[in-house]
Amino acid sequence: MKHSFLHVFLPKDEYKRMRVVRFLAEAAVMVAVMLILTIFINSWFDWNLDGMALAFAAFSFIIIYTYIRYILSGIEFTDVINKANYSKTKRNLRKRAIHFGAIFFIVLLLHRGIPHSWIDFMDILGLSVLAAIIMLIFDRLSLKKSYQKNKELLE
């Protein structure tokens, strides 16, 4: 794996790395099957599918599938074993989500420029808060799955 460009994007932990590679392989096989089905369906029904949209959909599917499988596998938080660690990590996740929302707000502000109306400001703020909430939900779900899995491993 160290001779591949993927090692830059993969976790350092060997177990996590192999699981993520497995998730990526599953997603790639599913995308290949979907693309083959798309070719057959396109030839039967004479659809005009945009190549860029199809490429974006395939790329998005691989990323989203891998991320969701990683979250639901419960391998992200390996050090969360007891209730005190769980509570401490929950607080840290809340802080991390707030920091992410603030950075997201600043980046959107730099990208879109200074808002000229209250509606534009609320659009930027709302998108930033929504991104932070989604991040917090995914992180909390991953923490809960990891905590349950770690408890099961100790028993």
Side-chain angles (χ1 to χ4, degrees), residues 99-140:
H99 287 210
F100 175 76
I103 291 171
F104 198 88
F105 177 78
I106 291 169
V107 168
L108 273 178
L109 200 60
L110 291 174
H111 176 69
R112 292 187 180 177
I114 306 284
H116 298 291
S117 69
W118 180 251
I119 301 287
D120 292 340
F121 177 76
M122 290 306 289
D123 184 38
I124 293 172
L125 182 66
L127 196 55
S128 302
V129 169
L130 183 65
I133 289 171
I134 290 172
M135 181 182 177
L136 182 63
I137 288 170
F138 282 143
D139 282 346
R140 292 279 299 268

Side-chain angles (χ1 to χ4, degrees), residues 24-37:
L24 284 168
E26 289 173 3
V29 168
M30 284 191 243
V31 166
V33 168
M34 284 189 271
L35 289 175
I36 289 170
L37 288 174

Side-chain angles (χ1 to χ4, degrees), residues 43 71 82 148:
S43 66
I71 286 172
N82 55 23
Q148 290 171 350

Side-chain angles (χ1 to χ4, degrees), residues 49-148:
L49 297 175
D50 184 25
M52 289 295 283
L54 199 57
F56 180 74
F59 175 75
S60 299
F61 179 81
I62 289 173
I63 297 297
I64 292 169
Y65 178 83
T66 305
Y67 185 65
I68 289 174
R69 282 294 306 251
Y70 182 76
I71 286 172
L72 295 178
S73 68
I75 61 173
E76 187 171 2
F77 300 99
T78 55
D79 58 337
V80 178
I81 301 168
N82 55 23
K83 196 70 169 167
N85 258 356
Y86 180 75
S87 299
K88 182 181 176 186
T89 307
K90 251 175 34 175
R91 282 191 304 274
N92 289 341
L93 290 179
R94 208 171 313 134
K95 290 177 191 175
R96 194 168 90 173
I98 291 170
H99 287 210
F100 175 76
I103 291 171
F104 198 88
F105 177 78
I106 291 169
V107 168
L108 273 178
L109 200 60
L110 291 174
H111 176 69
R112 292 187 180 177
I114 306 284
H116 298 291
S117 69
W118 180 251
I119 301 287
D120 292 340
F121 177 76
M122 290 306 289
D123 184 38
I124 293 172
L125 182 66
L127 196 55
S128 302
V129 169
L130 183 65
I133 289 171
I134 290 172
M135 181 182 177
L136 182 63
I137 288 170
F138 282 143
D139 282 346
R140 292 279 299 268
L141 182 62
S142 180
L143 176 65
K144 185 177 179 182
K145 291 287 186 180
S146 295
Y147 179 62
Q148 290 171 350

